Amino acid sequence: MTAPGEIVHTGAAEYPGLDRWRDLPLKQQPHWQDHPDFDSAYAKLSANPPLVFAGEVDKLKRRLAKVAQGEAFLLQGGDCAETFSDITADKISAKVKTLLQMAVVLTYGAALPVVKMGRMAGQYAKPRSSDSETRGEVTLPSFRGEIVNGFDFTAESRLPDPKRMVEAYHKAASTLNLIRAFTEGGFADLRAVQQWNKGFMENPAHAKYERIAGEIDRAVRFMSACGVEFEGLKRTEFYSAHEALLLDYERALTRIDSRTGKPYVTSGHFVWIGERTRDLDGAHVDYLSRVRNPIGVKLGPSTTPETVLALIEKLDPTREPGRLTFITRMGAANIRQKLPPLVEAVRDAQAKVVWVTDPMHGNTITAKNGYKTRRFDDVMDEVRGFFQVHQAAGTYPGGLHVEMTGDDVAECLGGSDVIDESAFNSRYESLVDPRLNHKQSLEMAFLVAEALTQVK
Ligand code: PEP
Ligand code: MN
């Protein structure tokens, strides 16, 4: 308990400036500080062990430095928003499996290491275009992700509940535990992953990828025939990432690293600032400027070169390799006009950032039957535009950021094994944005691998 007038909510980590964000414009948060359970939830989170460790976070930064230099490629993927009910062994393994499958194909295409990262174990908070939602006569607070409130359209469910942050922490811990077991315990063995990819190739719809699939298969068999048995084939590094939207959660899970004395967000290895909260003088940019993790910033079509340079100045003033990733989400129709000035400004300022394409968020449409969807062809067109822009500027297209799942859902239109709108009624599961399904995700990896072989 705190006495009146005492500073509360400071969390376990004390470090100069860490609470500056509380005095700055703060968007997209629930108003729950007066909730009777807020202080106890915050105190619990503050006392809990970190989910990730500073040493792992630093290692990821070194990996991302390689991406910035054009010596590795980054794959980020997962749900738009994880839901608590989908934290099951089957769903997590399907997602990790799909990301590993994609990574093998991309590794072959890029002939470079692929840094693998899930929008997982923390992707529970969502920015919304409106604070409230109206259905008929009823207006309720918008759904902000299960770390804040429930999706059901009732007053009780939509009421923000800080105890959900503690539940999210535990869900993230169990997700990470399974991911660590999978990726270090043999599940990630390259030869097994290649067998799964053969399953994908058995579908006649994917025959056009036969050449590249055959080449990967021969490469894997060649290594086996040579008796290559090194550990690198059996296990893989896999990092967690989410949007650092809910600053109460991020602040409570910030810890001071005992080796360096510096603050780290320990809710995930990599965190990013969303398109709606990247204001230069806002709370989110200030908070992430003070922690040592590698961080991302989403850049939409309204971004100017001045903003990009100011973001670099604020978030990466010492130009630390691997520190800053720009995730562009321009839309297929915009990318070829909007991205070049940004890429050129960063290049000319001699800043080294990682450039990643998110071909999902600029290509959302509403289907005739009312579902939020994306066309696979638009998504691929944005990816192609991203590669073209970087090729013309002489800069490196460093990675791919996708909303995907390992399951056979029907949320995005198209793909070779075509999904059309009629499938939405039975197989649309996302509560928020539409994801590529398992096959669409792998198909994208094959198409990007082809594009990468052309870049080389
Ligand atoms: C997201 O990644 O789910 C998201 C909301 O993206 P953006 O901030 O780019 O709109
Ligand atoms: Mn989304």
Side-chain angles (χ1 to χ4, degrees):
M1 289 303 290
T2 41
E6 246 183 274
I7 299 168
V8 290
H9 317 326
T10 48
E14 297 291 345
Y15 196 82
L18 266 191
D19 281 304
R20 174 90 176 91
W21 65 273
R22 295 185 190 277
D23 303 323
L24 300 174
L26 174 59
K27 290 185 178 165
Q28 299 282 348
Q29 310 297 300
H31 304 291
W32 61 9
Q33 274 77 10
D34 296 330
H35 190 287
D37 294 322
F38 182 83
D39 287 351
S40 62
Y42 194 91
K44 271 187 196 144
L45 280 183
S46 303
N48 277 347
L51 290 172
V52 301
F53 303 98
E56 299 172 330
V57 172
D58 290 343
K59 192 193 239 181
L60 170 62
K61 208 189 274 171
R62 293 196 294 276
R63 303 288 186 245
L64 292 174
K66 293 281 185 202
V67 180
Q69 285 153 14
E71 293 167 16
F73 191 77
L74 171 62
L75 172 64
Q76 303 180 304
D79 300 315
C80 179
E82 293 171 280
T83 59
F84 294 166
S85 60
D86 277 0
I87 310 291
T88 65
D90 285 350
K91 299 233 182 219
I92 294 168
S93 70
K95 216 176 303 167
V96 172
K97 194 167 161 174
T98 307
L99 283 164
L100 294 175
Q101 288 181 268
M102 293 174 78
V104 167
V105 176
L106 292 170
T107 306
Y108 184 80
L112 289 174
V114 171
V115 181
K116 302 170 223 24
M117 207 183 277
R119 283 176 65 114
M120 296 176 79
Q123 181 54 21
Y124 305 118
K126 294 316 297 172
R128 306 313 307 229
S129 45
S130 167
D131 280 349
S132 59
E133 181 183 348
T134 300
R135 293 190 198 172
E137 307 279 279
V138 186
T139 297
L140 294 173
S142 292
F143 172 59
R144 291 189 178 278
E146 289 190 337
I147 194 168
V148 173
N149 57 3
F151 183 72
D152 288 350
F153 195 71
T154 65
E156 195 195 356
S157 140
R158 288 292 171 95
L159 196 68
D161 179 355
K163 291 194 294 303
R164 284 175 171 271
M165 286 195 289
V166 180
E167 190 174 1
Y169 168 89
H170 290 293
K171 292 292 187 191
S174 53
T175 304
L176 265 178
N177 183 51
L178 201 58
I179 292 176
R180 290 185 197 278
F182 280 151
T183 53
E184 283 163 29
F187 182 83
D189 190 307
L190 180 63
R191 291 152 289 196
V193 177
Q194 184 50 23
Q195 282 305 316
W196 303 332
N197 277 357
K198 278 189 170 164
F200 171 81
M201 288 309 302
E202 277 159 18
N203 184 334
H206 303 135
K208 56 182 163 250
Y209 305 116
E210 211 150 333
R211 181 187 62 81
I212 198 158
E215 285 173 15
I216 299 173
D217 198 42
R218 266 192 300 284
V220 172
R221 280 190 284 128
F222 174 73
M223 282 190 288
S224 292
C226 293
V228 175
E229 266 304 331
F230 57 91
E231 285 298 299
L233 288 186
K234 295 193 193 139
R235 63 183 67 193
T236 189
E237 286 171 25
F238 193 101
Y239 296 97
S240 64
H242 63 269
E243 178 174 349
L245 181 69
L246 190 65
L247 289 190
D248 289 321
Y249 184 74
E250 304 304 340
R251 176 68 182 92
L253 285 172
T254 298
R255 301 285 179 271
I256 307 298
D257 174 28
S258 54
R259 300 163 312 156
T260 58
K262 302 280 193 221
Y264 286 72
V265 162
T266 65
S267 56
H269 299 104
F270 177 99
V271 283
W272 75 86
I273 306 172
E275 164 71 0
R276 293 169 188 77
T277 49
R278 62 173 167 76
D279 310 65
L280 283 163
D281 299 317
H284 291 82
V285 168
D286 185 85
Y287 194 65
L288 291 197
S289 76
R290 295 172 193 276
V291 298
R292 303 299 308 133
N293 304 58
I295 57 178
V297 186
K298 293 280 202 98
L299 303 177
S302 68
T303 316
T304 62
E306 294 70 41
T307 301
V308 168
L309 295 177
L311 282 166
I312 295 176
E313 218 37 67
K314 238 180 151 141
L315 295 170
D316 185 23
T318 62
R319 308 286 195 271
E320 187 189 359
R323 158 73 169 169
L324 189 55
T325 296
F326 284 131
I327 307 166
T328 66
R329 29 90 84 221
M330 300 290 168
N334 293 324
I335 184 149
R336 292 171 182 83
Q337 291 77 46
K338 303 282 183 186
L339 186 57
L342 310 187
V343 167
E344 288 159 14
V346 173
R347 179 198 63 195
D348 296 346
Q350 270 137 40
K352 273 264 177 277
V353 303
V354 173
W355 287 104
V356 169
T357 176
D358 162 0
M360 315 299 293
H361 287 89
N363 295 307
T364 313
I365 54 171
T366 304
K368 285 194 281 302
N369 53 1
Y371 286 89
K372 212 177 177 188
T373 187
R374 290 157 176 158
R375 289 193 198 93
F376 186 77
D377 287 349
D378 293 343
V379 168
M380 277 316 304
D381 190 31
E382 178 152 0
V383 175
R384 272 190 295 273
F386 175 77
F387 281 105
Q388 287 160 1
V389 168
H390 281 283
Q391 194 151 30
T395 48
Y396 180 62
L400 185 61
H401 181 117
V402 282
E403 287 187 342
M404 46 71 65
T405 168
D407 302 323
D408 187 23
V409 301
E411 298 172 4
C412 290
L413 294 167
S416 295
D417 199 0
V418 181
I419 297 288
D420 64 26
E421 293 173 8
S422 63
F424 289 169
N425 280 331
S426 55
R427 285 154 58 207
Y428 195 107
E429 294 178 15
S430 176
L431 300 183
V432 271
D433 289 340
R435 303 159 296 176
L436 299 176
N437 65 22
H438 172 76
K439 289 180 200 156
Q440 290 168 327
S441 303
L442 264 176
E443 180 162 10
M444 167 178 272
F446 275 102
L447 288 168
V448 173
E450 276 174 4
L452 282 167
T453 43
Q454 282 150 25
V455 166
K456 299 242 100 193

